Amino acid sequence: MFRMVTAELWMALLGVSLVVVIFVFVLRSVAPVMPFFYSNAVIQARASALLKGSQWKDLAENKSLSELANNLKGSDYGDDSLGKATNISEFHAAVEQTFIKRAIEIEKLSPKKMLPVFSAYNMFWEAKMLKTFYRSRFNMHDAEVPDDLEKKGLVFAVGNITDNILRHLSETKTVKDIRVVMLQTEYANVFEEEHSSIQEFEVALDNFVLRRFLETAEKIRMHDAKAISEIMKTKFDILNILALLKAETRGIPKDEREKILIKTGSEVSKLIPKLVNAKDISDFVDLCSKLRFYDALKEGLDAFKKDGSLAQFEKELYAYYKGFITGEELKHTLGPYPIFAYLTKKEVEMRNILAISKGIDSGFAPKEIMEMVL
């Protein structure tokens, strides 16, 4: 009798232990994503409102930027600033500023732990503002009157580029002036060195910003950090490929090409020594045969042979990028990944709007414009 009771007791204890083990396993699996339940729900709702399908065709048929701005009013880009744009540059800046506003809204919905990562993400846009100032001031002298970029709506405050920093940057006349302003900021390391060209500066800035994002994601031990970092690496891999294709068509010396690339540490980076020495565009694509971008590059090459436009490569590579994000999102349905997947989709959406607006401004036919849309 005693042995029977003992056996039953042990079985009961074993059952309880098993339940506890399962509970702990489930809790440890769910705990990292629990703080994101609300933001994930909001993201899912907003994702359904992304522009798609026939909406792009309707927008491509607009005859002017003002008409395009009016027909975007029912979307996330229904900001009055689009309607106030007097030229294509102002229109593009207004679209980008609207995107930033939406990104900040998402940031506010996310757990506080994510703030450093969002700050690092914002630096990609801060870099765009800095590049605009740098290009404007690069060949200027103290005696010249600089463009008022802020008044024209071409630059705006975002993240570390506060209203105060933006005001000081607007008062600059030369690159040296910009350095004085930025040496007191997060970007001090980039501005400590003097750069011989605009491109050299932009590459240094992009390397700094990408490195900061990757390091921040790892430092805070963000859930799915590796997968999210891959989103950014993939984007810069595509930019590197496009930069090398452009270098080939423009005849940039082969020993100069590696200097224009962003360091991602990816499969593309490992292949760079061979890619910079490609004989021609076809050879370049052949060298990429083992890369995940190969099919997109093959499609781009076939189109390039017909019209000689590198835009074909850009379209195919970004179409791959869009598909890559969608595919990976199915594997990472909870946590921070859906947030960055959504922001990436918004970037693609924004790219389409910029392409359509550029086509309209250039007088392209709707069919020609749609060829630029992903």
Side-chain angles (χ1 to χ4, degrees), residues 253-301:
K254 296 184 186 299
D255 59 350
E256 293 290 322
R257 296 180 187 183
E258 200 163 339
K259 297 177 183 178
I260 64 175
L261 305 176
I262 315 303
K263 299 173 183 176
T264 65
S266 69
E267 54 184 358
V268 175
S269 292
K270 295 173 185 175
L271 195 60
I272 283 174
K274 291 183 178 179
L275 294 178
V276 295
N277 289 298
K279 298 173 185 176
D280 53 32
I281 297 292
S282 294
D283 185 42
F284 182 96
V285 173
D286 287 341
L287 288 169
C288 295
S289 61
K290 294 184 179 180
L291 296 180
R292 55 194 171 124
F293 304 104
Y294 181 62
D295 289 342
L297 287 169
K298 280 288 287 181
E299 290 292 327
L301 179 62

Side-chain angles (χ1 to χ4, degrees), residues 211-228:
R211 187 169 63 251
R212 174 62 66 87
F213 182 88
L214 299 178
E215 289 174 352
T216 303
E218 184 178 353
K219 184 178 180 179
I220 71 166
R221 296 182 179 179
M222 179 175 66
H223 182 68
D224 276 343
K226 186 176 180 180
I228 292 169

Side-chain angles (χ1 to χ4, degrees), residues 172-346:
T172 62
K173 290 186 177 182
T174 66
V175 166
K176 288 184 179 180
D177 294 338
I178 295 177
R179 289 182 68 230
V180 170
V181 174
M182 298 309 297
L183 282 173
Q184 309 303 317
T185 70
E186 294 274 338
Y187 294 90
N189 290 341
V190 179
F191 285 90
E192 281 175 354
E193 296 182 24
E194 289 192 21
H195 304 285
S196 60
S197 68
I198 293 174
Q199 189 172 50
E200 183 182 303
F201 164 74
E202 293 186 353
V203 169
L205 182 59
D206 285 338
N207 272 313
F208 171 77
V209 171
L210 177 60
R211 187 169 63 251
R212 174 62 66 87
F213 182 88
L214 299 178
E215 289 174 352
T216 303
E218 184 178 353
K219 184 178 180 179
I220 71 166
R221 296 182 179 179
M222 179 175 66
H223 182 68
D224 276 343
K226 186 176 180 180
I228 292 169
S229 294
E230 195 61 30
I231 294 177
M232 300 305 171
K233 287 183 179 181
T234 301
K235 178 180 179 179
F236 279 93
D237 277 341
I238 288 173
L239 292 174
N240 280 341
I241 290 172
L242 292 172
L244 286 172
L245 288 169
K246 189 179 293 184
E248 179 61 36
T249 58
R250 292 183 177 179
I252 294 176
K254 296 184 186 299
D255 59 350
E256 293 290 322
R257 296 180 187 183
E258 200 163 339
K259 297 177 183 178
I260 64 175
L261 305 176
I262 315 303
K263 299 173 183 176
T264 65
S266 69
E267 54 184 358
V268 175
S269 292
K270 295 173 185 175
L271 195 60
I272 283 174
K274 291 183 178 179
L275 294 178
V276 295
N277 289 298
K279 298 173 185 176
D280 53 32
I281 297 292
S282 294
D283 185 42
F284 182 96
V285 173
D286 287 341
L287 288 169
C288 295
S289 61
K290 294 184 179 180
L291 296 180
R292 55 194 171 124
F293 304 104
Y294 181 62
D295 289 342
L297 287 169
K298 280 288 287 181
E299 290 292 327
L301 179 62
D302 291 341
F304 173 78
K305 287 178 177 178
K306 295 176 182 177
D307 65 10
S309 173
L310 288 178
Q312 303 293 350
F313 285 106
E314 181 179 350
K315 181 180 178 181
E316 293 298 334
L317 285 167
Y318 275 101
Y320 165 81
Y321 187 43
K322 182 180 179 182
F324 166 73
I325 299 301
T326 301
E328 288 297 306
E329 193 175 13
L330 296 174
K331 305 174 189 175
H332 308 275
T333 56
L334 295 172
Y337 193 92
I339 296 174
F340 287 97
Y342 172 74
L343 289 174
T344 302
K345 289 178 182 178
K346 287 295 289 182

Side-chain angles (χ1 to χ4, degrees), residues 21-38:
V21 169
I22 293 173
F23 176 76
V24 171
F25 175 77
V26 172
L27 184 63
R28 291 182 67 179
S29 299
V30 175
V33 300
M34 284 180 64
F36 296 92
F37 283 170
Y38 177 66

Side-chain angles (χ1 to χ4, degrees), residues 96-114:
E96 290 168 350
Q97 190 165 9
T98 303
F99 171 88
I100 292 296
K101 289 178 182 178
R102 301 295 170 260
I104 291 173
E105 290 172 4
I106 298 300
E107 176 184 338
K108 290 179 180 178
L109 295 173
S110 303
K112 289 184 178 179
K113 181 183 178 180
M114 289 292 294

Side-chain angles (χ1 to χ4, degrees), residues 119-138:
S119 294
Y121 175 80
N122 284 338
M123 292 179 84
F124 291 113
W125 294 95
E126 295 166 19
K128 189 173 181 62
M129 301 303 112
L130 292 173
K131 289 175 185 178
T132 301
F133 275 110
Y134 204 89
R135 291 189 201 114
S136 174
R137 304 322 195 224
F138 188 74

